[in-house]
Amino acid sequence: MSRASTRRDERYSIAREFCGQPKARQVARFCGDWLGHAPNRRGARAIIEAHQDARALTLRQGG
């Protein structure tokens, strides 16, 4: 899904979680699967956007 899309993709989520770091982090997930963590929501959103871009590229290439 393109970032230009006006519809929110409900398969993605960002939540504050403890994940082995000294403080809770913002964890990005796709369909419940771990994508990564960041110190803030902006960073977690960037992880999601990178995942969306990679998925779109794979789909365009027929994968």
Side-chain angles (χ1 to χ4, degrees), residues 29-47:
R29 294 182 180 275
F30 176 72
C31 294
D33 292 337
W34 173 279
L35 296 177
H37 63 84
N40 53 45
R41 288 188 70 82
R42 181 179 289 171
R45 186 73 209 150
I47 293 167

Side-chain angles (χ1 to χ4, degrees), residues 12-14 27-30 35 43-53:
Y12 289 96
S13 65
I14 299 173
V27 173
R29 294 182 180 275
F30 176 72
L35 296 177
R45 186 73 209 150
I47 293 167
I48 287 173
E49 289 172 358
H51 185 260
Q52 288 173 325
D53 290 346

Side-chain angles (χ1 to χ4, degrees), residues 4-25:
S5 173
T6 57
R7 291 179 12 175
R8 184 170 179 256
D9 189 336
E10 297 292 328
R11 296 174 294 177
Y12 289 96
S13 65
I14 299 173
R16 184 176 179 265
E17 298 180 24
F18 287 94
C19 55
Q21 301 295 316
K23 294 183 178 182
R25 308 272 287 182

